[in-house]
Amino acid sequence: MKPAATPDLGSPAPCLGVFDSGLGGLTVLAALRRRLPRARLLYAADSAYAPYGERDAAYVIERSRVLTRFLLAEGAQLLVVACNTATALAIAELRREWPGVPFVGIEPAIKPALAARGQADGPVGVLATPATLGSDRFRTLLARHGADSPVLLQPCPGLAEAIETRGPQDPATLDLLRDLCAPLKAAGCTRVVLGCTHYPLLAEAILRVFGEPAPQLLDPADAVAAQAARLAGELPGCAAAAPLRAWSNGDAQLLRRVAAACGIAIDTVLPLPEASPVSA
Ligand code: DGL
């Protein structure tokens, strides 16, 4: 789809709902905005229920169903699960429950990280939540693309939570990041997969931690946006009342600041309503 120069709010445009456990999905939202400048984007940040990455599947499925239901009620025609953990643990359930709705998920970029690996390259490091790395979906991904390759898996407990509660620039967040990256740096990783949508918010800090030679960081946000744009091209479109709306049950100011750092201007952050649990 050829992007228009300026948003045209009058004519039909696709409406995409995007959700994450909190701020991380803003990194995907920014890629979607670049790919689909005319689309109506609805973003739900579930910060009050973050982190997902240290919870069990039942919890993540329940929260994902609540957010999906909310975004569909707001008019979303396609759902982007902008969270590796929710994709790993919940997207299959969402697809089962809403068979008519297109869902696009995100998963760690193991395949591209290994595809162009040369003789001189070090191991591939993967930073992700404990829940993502422990999931069947991730095990299958790794077995398919990285069974005989040197891949170092680094679970990052506490990192998404630190970003949510303290912000990506906070010294304590950066101290934790340094500790978590240390094994990958010591092993000489030349590529690092950012397997949680919160971690691209720390991209510069990760490069500072590694120093020279700088590893290549792999963030699949643009590939996800490209896939969503392909599917959105098949939607009938809706009248785009506003180009971008966000809801959060966490710190709205921090969300606006982080969005601005990702290149997205969010003026209004509405309170994400508390929904009664969705029963199976
Ligand atoms: N941003 C999410 C991910 O991509 C989850 C972070 C969390 O809530 O633990 O995995």
Side-chain angles (χ1 to χ4, degrees):
M1 175 188 273
K2 192 168 179 286
T6 50
D8 168 5
L9 307 184
S11 57
C15 180
L16 280 65
V18 184
F19 77 81
D20 177 46
S21 64
L23 305 170
L26 293 169
T27 60
V28 179
L29 189 69
L32 285 164
R33 180 38 89 220
R34 286 192 293 274
R35 288 265 173 189
L36 291 166
R38 291 182 61 246
R40 183 172 177 222
L41 300 177
L42 313 176
Y43 186 78
D46 202 22
S47 300
Y49 291 84
Y52 287 0
E54 288 145 68
R55 300 275 164 67
D56 63 15
Y59 180 95
V60 177
I61 289 170
E62 180 62 20
R63 292 311 306 161
S64 300
R65 294 167 85 209
V66 167
L67 298 171
T68 297
R69 186 154 292 197
F70 173 74
L71 290 167
L72 290 174
E74 288 294 328
Q77 301 164 297
L78 179 155
L79 263 287
V80 178
V81 181
C83 174
N84 290 263
T85 309
T87 300
L89 300 182
I91 202 168
E93 186 55 39
L94 300 179
R95 287 187 170 129
R96 222 181 339 266
E97 183 160 343
W98 286 279
V101 175
F103 286 91
V104 177
I106 186 165
E107 57 188 11
I110 299 277
K111 187 181 173 190
L114 290 169
R117 222 183 134 259
Q119 289 283 327
D121 289 328
V124 168
V126 182
L127 300 170
T129 67
T132 294
L133 295 181
S135 68
D136 288 345
R137 195 177 168 109
F138 181 78
R139 266 193 288 277
T140 305
L141 180 75
L142 190 60
R144 190 176 308 133
H145 301 294
D148 304 317
S149 308
V151 179
L152 260 82
L153 307 182
Q154 178 61 57
C156 300
L159 192 55
E161 187 176 8
I163 294 169
E164 287 291 325
T165 54
R166 299 166 177 276
Q169 311 291 347
D170 185 86
T173 305
L174 299 175
D175 282 349
L176 176 59
L177 176 71
R178 200 169 301 113
D179 290 349
L180 293 166
C181 287
L184 305 190
K185 186 178 170 184
C189 289
T190 48
R191 293 203 172 128
V192 176
V193 171
L194 305 180
C196 167
T197 54
H198 281 70
Y199 305 163
L201 299 171
L202 300 171
E204 283 172 22
I206 293 171
L207 291 175
R208 273 200 306 279
V209 167
F210 275 84
E212 290 299 329
Q216 185 188 353
L217 304 184
L218 287 104
D219 170 12
D222 190 54
V224 168
Q227 168 68 357
R230 262 191 300 278
L231 295 177
E234 293 160 19
L235 297 171
C238 62
L244 177 58
R245 300 189 91 183
W247 291 263
S248 170
N249 48 21
D251 181 341
Q253 291 238 26
L254 181 60
L255 184 135
R256 262 195 293 268
R257 269 209 312 281
V258 171
C262 293
I264 321 165
I266 300 183
D267 297 326
T268 313
V269 182
L270 302 163
L272 184 61
E274 195 60 46
S276 48
V278 181
S279 51

